[in-house]
mmCIF file of all heavy atoms in Angstrom:
data_model
loop_
_atom_site.group_PDB
_atom_site.id
_atom_site.type_symbol
_atom_site.label_atom_id
_atom_site.label_comp_id
_atom_site.label_asym_id
_atom_site.label_seq_id
_atom_site.Cartn_x
_atom_site.Cartn_y
_atom_site.Cartn_z
ATOM 1 N N ASN A 62 -64.534 -12.331 18.580
ATOM 2 C CA ASN A 62 -65.380 -13.279 17.966
ATOM 3 C C ASN A 62 -66.195 -12.678 16.779
ATOM 4 O O ASN A 62 -67.032 -13.337 16.226
ATOM 5 C CB ASN A 62 -66.364 -13.859 18.957
ATOM 6 C CG ASN A 62 -65.677 -14.482 20.163
ATOM 7 O OD1 ASN A 62 -64.730 -15.230 20.027
ATOM 8 N ND2 ASN A 62 -66.148 -14.172 21.347
ATOM 9 N N VAL A 63 -65.864 -11.481 16.419
ATOM 10 C CA VAL A 63 -66.647 -10.815 15.378
ATOM 11 C C VAL A 63 -66.714 -11.523 14.115
ATOM 12 O O VAL A 63 -67.754 -11.575 13.397
ATOM 13 C CB VAL A 63 -66.165 -9.293 15.191
ATOM 14 C CG1 VAL A 63 -64.718 -9.243 14.630
ATOM 15 C CG2 VAL A 63 -67.131 -8.556 14.257
ATOM 16 N N GLY A 64 -65.576 -12.141 13.664
ATOM 17 C CA GLY A 64 -65.558 -12.880 12.381
ATOM 18 C C GLY A 64 -66.520 -14.053 12.469
ATOM 19 O O GLY A 64 -67.289 -14.289 11.446
ATOM 20 N N GLU A 65 -66.513 -14.800 13.500
ATOM 21 C CA GLU A 65 -67.354 -16.024 13.588
ATOM 22 C C GLU A 65 -68.821 -15.597 13.640
ATOM 23 O O GLU A 65 -69.671 -16.122 12.930
ATOM 24 C CB GLU A 65 -66.976 -16.803 14.836
ATOM 25 C CG GLU A 65 -67.884 -18.014 15.023
ATOM 26 C CD GLU A 65 -67.604 -18.730 16.370
ATOM 27 O OE1 GLU A 65 -66.552 -18.456 16.999
ATOM 28 O OE2 GLU A 65 -68.440 -19.578 16.722
ATOM 29 N N CYS A 66 -69.142 -14.627 14.534
ATOM 30 C CA CYS A 66 -70.556 -14.262 14.714
ATOM 31 C C CYS A 66 -71.145 -13.592 13.461
ATOM 32 O O CYS A 66 -72.212 -13.934 13.019
ATOM 33 C CB CYS A 66 -70.695 -13.251 15.886
ATOM 34 S SG CYS A 66 -70.282 -14.046 17.466
ATOM 35 N N TRP A 67 -70.409 -12.648 12.871
ATOM 36 C CA TRP A 67 -70.966 -11.954 11.718
ATOM 37 C C TRP A 67 -71.046 -12.875 10.505
ATOM 38 O O TRP A 67 -71.893 -12.739 9.658
ATOM 39 C CB TRP A 67 -70.120 -10.712 11.385
ATOM 40 C CG TRP A 67 -70.317 -9.578 12.280
ATOM 41 C CD1 TRP A 67 -70.800 -9.625 13.551
ATOM 42 C CD2 TRP A 67 -70.043 -8.215 11.992
ATOM 43 N NE1 TRP A 67 -70.835 -8.420 14.108
ATOM 44 C CE2 TRP A 67 -70.399 -7.472 13.145
ATOM 45 C CE3 TRP A 67 -69.514 -7.573 10.915
ATOM 46 C CZ2 TRP A 67 -70.264 -6.109 13.249
ATOM 47 C CZ3 TRP A 67 -69.416 -6.133 10.933
ATOM 48 C CH2 TRP A 67 -69.763 -5.444 12.143
ATOM 49 N N SER A 68 -70.150 -13.904 10.413
ATOM 50 C CA SER A 68 -70.261 -14.819 9.258
ATOM 51 C C SER A 68 -71.525 -15.604 9.385
ATOM 52 O O SER A 68 -72.034 -16.138 8.314
ATOM 53 C CB SER A 68 -69.052 -15.800 9.267
ATOM 54 O OG SER A 68 -69.121 -16.680 10.454
ATOM 55 N N GLN A 69 -72.169 -15.712 10.559
ATOM 56 C CA GLN A 69 -73.450 -16.450 10.757
ATOM 57 C C GLN A 69 -74.640 -15.509 10.831
ATOM 58 O O GLN A 69 -75.741 -15.847 11.063
ATOM 59 C CB GLN A 69 -73.346 -17.265 12.020
ATOM 60 C CG GLN A 69 -72.245 -18.284 11.999
ATOM 61 C CD GLN A 69 -72.065 -18.922 13.466
ATOM 62 O OE1 GLN A 69 -72.825 -18.771 14.310
ATOM 63 N NE2 GLN A 69 -70.950 -19.707 13.565
ATOM 64 N N GLY A 70 -74.373 -14.156 10.524
ATOM 65 C CA GLY A 70 -75.401 -13.224 10.495
ATOM 66 C C GLY A 70 -75.786 -12.733 11.883
ATOM 67 O O GLY A 70 -76.899 -12.149 12.102
ATOM 68 N N HIS A 71 -74.965 -12.893 12.950
ATOM 69 C CA HIS A 71 -75.251 -12.484 14.265
ATOM 70 C C HIS A 71 -74.458 -11.244 14.622
ATOM 71 O O HIS A 71 -73.301 -11.179 14.264
ATOM 72 C CB HIS A 71 -74.925 -13.627 15.305
ATOM 73 C CG HIS A 71 -75.650 -14.859 15.027
ATOM 74 N ND1 HIS A 71 -75.192 -16.099 15.493
ATOM 75 C CD2 HIS A 71 -76.791 -15.141 14.367
ATOM 76 C CE1 HIS A 71 -76.083 -17.058 15.099
ATOM 77 N NE2 HIS A 71 -76.997 -16.482 14.426
ATOM 78 N N ALA A 72 -75.101 -10.294 15.254
ATOM 79 C CA ALA A 72 -74.375 -9.107 15.740
ATOM 80 C C ALA A 72 -75.104 -8.521 16.936
ATOM 81 O O ALA A 72 -76.320 -8.710 17.076
ATOM 82 C CB ALA A 72 -74.366 -8.012 14.545
ATOM 83 N N THR A 73 -74.374 -7.897 17.814
ATOM 84 C CA THR A 73 -74.909 -7.243 18.968
ATOM 85 C C THR A 73 -75.075 -5.755 18.702
ATOM 86 O O THR A 73 -74.058 -5.083 18.559
ATOM 87 C CB THR A 73 -74.036 -7.518 20.224
ATOM 88 O OG1 THR A 73 -73.962 -8.896 20.506
ATOM 89 C CG2 THR A 73 -74.606 -6.814 21.467
ATOM 90 N N MET A 74 -76.350 -5.311 18.662
ATOM 91 C CA MET A 74 -76.604 -3.966 18.341
ATOM 92 C C MET A 74 -76.300 -3.065 19.519
ATOM 93 O O MET A 74 -76.670 -3.384 20.697
ATOM 94 C CB MET A 74 -78.076 -3.700 17.988
ATOM 95 C CG MET A 74 -78.647 -4.763 17.005
ATOM 96 S SD MET A 74 -77.930 -4.649 15.339
ATOM 97 C CE MET A 74 -78.799 -5.921 14.464
ATOM 98 N N MET A 75 -75.605 -1.966 19.312
ATOM 99 C CA MET A 75 -75.256 -1.035 20.420
ATOM 100 C C MET A 75 -76.064 0.289 20.142
ATOM 101 O O MET A 75 -75.756 0.983 19.231
ATOM 102 C CB MET A 75 -73.764 -0.732 20.495
ATOM 103 C CG MET A 75 -73.410 0.008 21.826
ATOM 104 S SD MET A 75 -71.655 0.008 22.116
ATOM 105 C CE MET A 75 -71.089 1.312 21.074
ATOM 106 N N ILE A 76 -77.011 0.576 20.995
ATOM 107 C CA ILE A 76 -77.866 1.748 20.790
ATOM 108 C C ILE A 76 -77.401 2.956 21.588
ATOM 109 O O ILE A 76 -76.537 2.843 22.460
ATOM 110 C CB ILE A 76 -79.354 1.412 21.103
ATOM 111 C CG1 ILE A 76 -79.502 0.949 22.575
ATOM 112 C CG2 ILE A 76 -79.881 0.359 20.187
ATOM 113 C CD1 ILE A 76 -80.942 0.763 23.054
ATOM 114 N N MET A 77 -77.964 4.100 21.268
ATOM 115 C CA MET A 77 -77.690 5.355 21.973
ATOM 116 C C MET A 77 -76.342 5.917 21.713
ATOM 117 O O MET A 77 -75.744 6.610 22.483
ATOM 118 C CB MET A 77 -77.961 5.222 23.478
ATOM 119 C CG MET A 77 -79.363 4.855 23.835
ATOM 120 S SD MET A 77 -79.806 5.088 25.558
ATOM 121 C CE MET A 77 -79.101 3.660 26.259
ATOM 122 N N GLY A 78 -75.782 5.583 20.512
ATOM 123 C CA GLY A 78 -74.529 6.174 20.125
ATOM 124 C C GLY A 78 -73.283 5.302 20.369
ATOM 125 O O GLY A 78 -73.390 4.213 20.856
ATOM 126 N N GLU A 79 -72.146 5.874 20.029
ATOM 127 C CA GLU A 79 -70.877 5.134 20.163
ATOM 128 C C GLU A 79 -69.897 5.763 21.151
ATOM 129 O O GLU A 79 -68.736 5.408 21.259
ATOM 130 C CB GLU A 79 -70.177 5.004 18.810
ATOM 131 C CG GLU A 79 -69.890 6.336 18.164
ATOM 132 C CD GLU A 79 -69.297 6.204 16.728
ATOM 133 O OE1 GLU A 79 -68.645 5.213 16.488
ATOM 134 O OE2 GLU A 79 -69.522 7.114 15.932
ATOM 135 N N VAL A 80 -70.402 6.746 21.921
ATOM 136 C CA VAL A 80 -69.627 7.404 22.944
ATOM 137 C C VAL A 80 -70.247 7.274 24.250
ATOM 138 O O VAL A 80 -71.431 7.576 24.479
ATOM 139 C CB VAL A 80 -69.458 8.945 22.607
ATOM 140 C CG1 VAL A 80 -68.665 9.681 23.650
ATOM 141 C CG2 VAL A 80 -68.819 9.110 21.240
ATOM 142 N N CYS A 81 -69.462 6.750 25.257
ATOM 143 C CA CYS A 81 -69.939 6.422 26.608
ATOM 144 C C CYS A 81 -69.572 7.548 27.553
ATOM 145 O O CYS A 81 -68.518 8.165 27.419
ATOM 146 C CB CYS A 81 -69.302 5.156 26.997
ATOM 147 S SG CYS A 81 -69.930 4.429 28.591
ATOM 148 N N THR A 82 -70.402 7.764 28.586
ATOM 149 C CA THR A 82 -70.056 8.746 29.601
ATOM 150 C C THR A 82 -69.198 8.229 30.715
ATOM 151 O O THR A 82 -68.762 8.999 31.530
ATOM 152 C CB THR A 82 -71.400 9.306 30.267
ATOM 153 O OG1 THR A 82 -72.172 8.180 30.725
ATOM 154 C CG2 THR A 82 -72.234 10.040 29.239
ATOM 155 N N ARG A 83 -68.847 6.943 30.642
ATOM 156 C CA ARG A 83 -67.982 6.349 31.620
ATOM 157 C C ARG A 83 -66.659 6.115 30.997
ATOM 158 O O ARG A 83 -66.503 6.080 29.798
ATOM 159 C CB ARG A 83 -68.540 4.996 32.139
ATOM 160 C CG ARG A 83 -69.966 5.059 32.689
ATOM 161 C CD ARG A 83 -69.933 5.323 34.239
ATOM 162 N NE ARG A 83 -71.370 5.432 34.704
ATOM 163 C CZ ARG A 83 -72.029 4.455 35.265
ATOM 164 N NH1 ARG A 83 -71.464 3.256 35.465
ATOM 165 N NH2 ARG A 83 -73.295 4.621 35.710
ATOM 166 N N GLY A 84 -65.679 5.845 31.882
ATOM 167 C CA GLY A 84 -64.276 5.578 31.319
ATOM 168 C C GLY A 84 -63.649 4.366 32.010
ATOM 169 O O GLY A 84 -62.594 4.475 32.654
ATOM 170 N N CYS A 85 -64.299 3.221 31.949
ATOM 171 C CA CYS A 85 -63.793 2.038 32.590
ATOM 172 C C CYS A 85 -62.452 1.650 31.961
ATOM 173 O O CYS A 85 -62.214 1.770 30.797
ATOM 174 C CB CYS A 85 -64.801 0.878 32.367
ATOM 175 S SG CYS A 85 -66.374 1.161 33.191
ATOM 176 N N SER A 86 -61.510 1.163 32.826
ATOM 177 C CA SER A 86 -60.150 0.966 32.405
ATOM 178 C C SER A 86 -59.967 -0.223 31.486
ATOM 179 O O SER A 86 -58.951 -0.318 30.805
ATOM 180 C CB SER A 86 -59.244 0.814 33.643
ATOM 181 O OG SER A 86 -59.534 -0.350 34.326
ATOM 182 N N PHE A 87 -61.000 -1.118 31.378
ATOM 183 C CA PHE A 87 -60.925 -2.279 30.581
ATOM 184 C C PHE A 87 -61.497 -2.133 29.182
ATOM 185 O O PHE A 87 -61.283 -2.929 28.293
ATOM 186 C CB PHE A 87 -61.586 -3.500 31.250
ATOM 187 C CG PHE A 87 -63.035 -3.318 31.328
ATOM 188 C CD1 PHE A 87 -63.938 -3.757 30.311
ATOM 189 C CD2 PHE A 87 -63.641 -2.747 32.456
ATOM 190 C CE1 PHE A 87 -65.279 -3.600 30.416
ATOM 191 C CE2 PHE A 87 -65.039 -2.578 32.536
ATOM 192 C CZ PHE A 87 -65.804 -3.009 31.527
ATOM 193 N N CYS A 88 -62.290 -1.078 29.046
ATOM 194 C CA CYS A 88 -63.215 -0.989 27.888
ATOM 195 C C CYS A 88 -62.641 -0.218 26.726
ATOM 196 O O CYS A 88 -62.077 0.862 26.935
ATOM 197 C CB CYS A 88 -64.570 -0.347 28.346
ATOM 198 S SG CYS A 88 -65.860 -0.389 27.109
ATOM 199 N N ASN A 89 -62.987 -0.648 25.543
ATOM 200 C CA ASN A 89 -62.464 0.030 24.330
ATOM 201 C C ASN A 89 -63.539 0.934 23.651
ATOM 202 O O ASN A 89 -63.214 1.549 22.634
ATOM 203 C CB ASN A 89 -61.998 -1.013 23.274
ATOM 204 C CG ASN A 89 -61.044 -0.439 22.244
ATOM 205 O OD1 ASN A 89 -60.238 0.470 22.565
ATOM 206 N ND2 ASN A 89 -61.115 -0.916 21.025
ATOM 207 N N VAL A 90 -64.735 1.040 24.250
ATOM 208 C CA VAL A 90 -65.669 1.948 23.683
ATOM 209 C C VAL A 90 -65.241 3.343 24.023
ATOM 210 O O VAL A 90 -64.733 3.699 25.088
ATOM 211 C CB VAL A 90 -67.076 1.650 24.322
ATOM 212 C CG1 VAL A 90 -68.134 2.756 23.901
ATOM 213 C CG2 VAL A 90 -67.567 0.248 23.898
ATOM 214 N N ALA A 91 -65.476 4.294 23.074
ATOM 215 C CA ALA A 91 -65.011 5.667 23.269
ATOM 216 C C ALA A 91 -65.736 6.345 24.380
ATOM 217 O O ALA A 91 -66.839 6.126 24.694
ATOM 218 C CB ALA A 91 -65.262 6.429 21.923
#
Side-chain angles (χ1 to χ4, degrees):
N62 304 314
V63 63
E65 178 185 348
C66 293
W67 284 24
S68 68
Q69 299 171 9
H71 301 159
T73 298
M74 315 293 182
M75 191 167 81
I76 60 175
M77 298 195 283
E79 58 185 331
V80 178
C81 186
T82 54
R83 304 269 178 98
C85 297
S86 67
F87 67 88
C88 185
N89 200 36
V90 174

